[in-house]
Amino acid sequence: MPGSGDTHTRLDAVSRRILTQTCMNDLRAPLGEAHALPNAAYTDPEFLELENARLFAPGWVLAGFGGCIPDAGDGQPVEIAGVPLILVRGRDGQVRGFQNVCPHRGSRLLSEPCAGKSLLTCPYHSWAFDTEGMLRNRPHFFGPEQHQAIKDDSGPNLIPVRTQMWHDLIFVNMSGDAPALDDFLAPVTDRMDGYDMTALRYAGSTSFEVEANWKFAVENYIEPYHVFSLHPRLLSYAPMSVRQPSKIDGHCFYNEYTVPTMEEGRGEGLPHWPGMPEAWQRRGMWFHLFPTLSVEVYADQFTVFHIIPTGPDTTREELHFYLIGDAATSEHYANARQQVFDTWHDLNLEDMDVLKRLQAGRRAPGYNGGSFSPFWDEAPVAFSRLVGEALVVDD
Ligand code: FES
Ligand SMILES: [Fe+2]
């Protein structure tokens, strides 16, 4: 979604101001000499604007979950790349995305989720759109009691946004020209070959309002170095000795380990993926698809981390849990299911303080982007590099 010429020029200037040649040289240096992104990349509101326009808008971004809008006429407002959107399930069962703006005078159309609507009606002058985004009624449009009912699709209609699903996950591509969603997901789907995703059912969610830039949430997620220091329970069943630095495959960061014994909350007490080989029972895998989507796979679950930038120094982190078959909803598994939710909730709470500290630390002007462990830190530096390369302006 290109901005105006002025915006383009202004964002070029932001990029040049923050991603200087020195900064890019530091980012591109070998790990032992590299520095990651500078402080302003985590604190400057204009840098988030640059990210919205040139990182989030051109790619695929997770926008929502089919289970939140299960029936025809269900809709949900969301915001992606700083743009208000609506996700709507149509009469044909398809989920579609639109910009959340009425084409008449520009009112926001939907403020709250809605259910079972045959028409989406703008609260300002009651122009009404069907679930495919087509304008259908304009009351009093030609004068008092001179209503207009519209049968064709001549509009003005809602502005569609490219939207596609992978199982229950709804993705949008604001620019409309990203490579195929399958290509974006391939590093995960290739490695999940053999896991029957159709067995998954939505079981619940939890979320955190994080007082830190979204990149800190990701960098923390993709480095297992801090586990020994912050996560005693995690360490007790997957010690540092079974952990490896994260691997990198293009825009995908991933890791895999096999735990010595299974524990409640991960792999124990709930049904496992159907047909799963014995060797996978104690396996944990996680993936981060640049920039903001992470998923974790254990014998009994598929957990989605949805990282949503809400400001230069605030982030919403949502966790959505999918379990196998009736484990997601049946009373029989209520305790084991709660154990999954509690495990994830407690684990993430353990990270909140350091995320705040990372944000606060970046107000110290002497920090140069860091120096790194040659064993553990390739992933966070590579992540910084992906951000820098996506946003740098080549002269
Ligand atoms: S702004 Fe929506 S109907 Fe007028
Ligand atoms: Fe952590």
Side-chain angles (χ1 to χ4, degrees):
M1 195 168 299
S4 69
D6 283 354
T7 305
H8 191 74
T9 308
R10 189 170 59 77
L11 292 180
D12 278 358
V14 173
S15 174
R16 288 193 178 92
R17 173 167 62 81
I18 297 175
L19 299 173
T20 61
Q21 191 57 55
T22 308
C23 159
M24 292 308 297
N25 290 344
D26 287 347
L27 272 179
R28 289 165 175 158
L31 186 57
E33 298 147 37
H35 304 302
L37 288 165
N39 291 356
Y42 299 85
T43 58
D44 192 316
E46 285 192 313
F47 197 80
L48 179 58
E49 231 189 303
L50 182 69
E51 290 172 331
N52 278 334
R54 299 188 180 173
L55 185 58
F56 300 125
W60 286 104
V61 178
L62 181 64
F65 298 85
C68 296
I69 46 171
D71 300 315
D74 293 355
Q76 186 186 18
V78 296
E79 188 170 303
I80 302 294
V83 177
L85 302 182
I86 313 171
L87 304 173
V88 189
R89 193 176 293 273
R91 288 161 299 181
D92 55 1
Q94 290 280 317
V95 171
R96 293 177 177 80
F98 304 100
Q99 293 190 29
N100 191 0
V101 60
C102 173
H104 177 217
R105 292 272 308 287
S107 166
R108 180 172 64 182
L109 200 58
L110 207 63
S111 302
E112 300 289 333
C114 65
K117 298 276 188 196
S118 53
L119 292 171
L120 302 171
T121 304
C122 176
Y124 201 174
H125 312 91
S126 296
W127 287 22
F129 305 84
D130 67 21
T131 54
E132 284 72 50
M134 301 299 161
L135 178 65
R136 290 293 165 240
N137 295 309
R138 290 197 270 201
H140 307 283
F141 185 64
F142 294 112
E145 306 307 327
Q146 304 293 305
H147 311 311
Q148 186 188 28
I150 301 154
K151 298 266 183 285
D152 61 22
D153 295 343
S154 57
N157 300 313
L158 300 185
I159 305 158
V161 175
R162 188 180 179 202
T163 304
Q164 205 175 323
M165 294 190 72
W166 176 53
H167 296 281
D168 199 45
L169 281 60
I170 305 168
F171 290 87
V172 298
N173 164 228
M174 302 292 293
S175 68
D177 60 2
L181 178 63
D182 285 354
D183 294 347
F184 174 70
L185 296 172
V188 173
T189 52
D190 289 354
R191 291 180 178 87
M192 283 191 67
D193 194 22
Y195 287 85
D196 179 5
M197 296 282 289
T198 65
L200 295 175
R201 301 287 178 274
Y202 171 73
S205 303
T206 188
S207 66
F208 296 86
E209 300 298 334
V210 185
E211 294 176 48
N213 183 274
W214 69 274
K215 295 186 289 299
F216 286 134
V218 176
E219 291 166 17
N220 179 62
Y221 181 85
I222 61 178
E223 61 98 333
Y225 183 17
H226 71 278
V227 168
F228 75 95
S229 183
L230 291 193
H231 302 304
R233 183 172 187 273
L234 198 56
L235 190 69
S236 70
Y237 73 90
M240 294 306 277
S241 57
V242 304
R243 294 177 182 276
Q244 291 293 319
S246 306
K247 301 178 186 67
I248 304 162
D249 176 8
H251 68 287
C252 178
F253 298 81
Y254 64 102
N255 214 318
E256 178 184 329
Y257 54 85
T258 298
V259 296
T261 53
M262 282 189 281
E263 281 220 356
E264 282 187 345
R266 281 181 178 177
E268 186 66 52
L270 287 168
H272 289 184
W273 296 76
M276 165 177 276
E278 181 61 32
W280 294 3
Q281 306 286 340
R282 289 183 291 112
R283 177 162 86 167
M285 296 192 291
W286 63 253
F287 304 92
H288 178 77
L289 287 174
F290 181 82
T292 51
L293 171 64
S294 306
V295 300
E296 299 216 9
V297 184
Y298 295 92
D300 58 1
Q301 64 188 268
F302 178 79
T303 294
V304 178
F305 276 66
H306 190 190
I307 290 171
I308 306 164
T310 52
D313 53 5
T314 55
T315 299
R316 184 173 169 80
E317 195 174 289
E318 296 180 350
L319 286 85
H320 301 270
F321 309 111
Y322 291 83
L323 301 176
I324 312 302
D326 69 348
T329 49
S330 95
E331 194 50 38
H332 177 70
Y333 293 113
N335 286 342
R337 195 161 57 234
Q338 191 60 43
Q339 185 75 45
V340 171
F341 303 162
D342 292 348
T343 298
W344 280 115
H345 184 84
D346 295 350
L347 177 64
N348 275 270
L349 266 186
E350 291 167 356
D351 287 308
M352 289 301 134
D353 181 58
V354 286
L355 292 176
K356 262 167 87 168
R357 286 171 185 269
L358 285 165
Q359 189 67 37
R362 291 304 189 108
R363 293 204 302 271
Y367 185 73
N368 64 1
S371 51
F372 299 100
S373 157
F375 186 81
W376 296 104
D377 280 332
E378 185 66 46
V381 176
F383 170 81
S384 276
R385 228 175 265 140
L386 285 178
V387 174
E389 298 295 359
L391 300 180
V392 70
V393 175
D394 289 320
D395 288 307

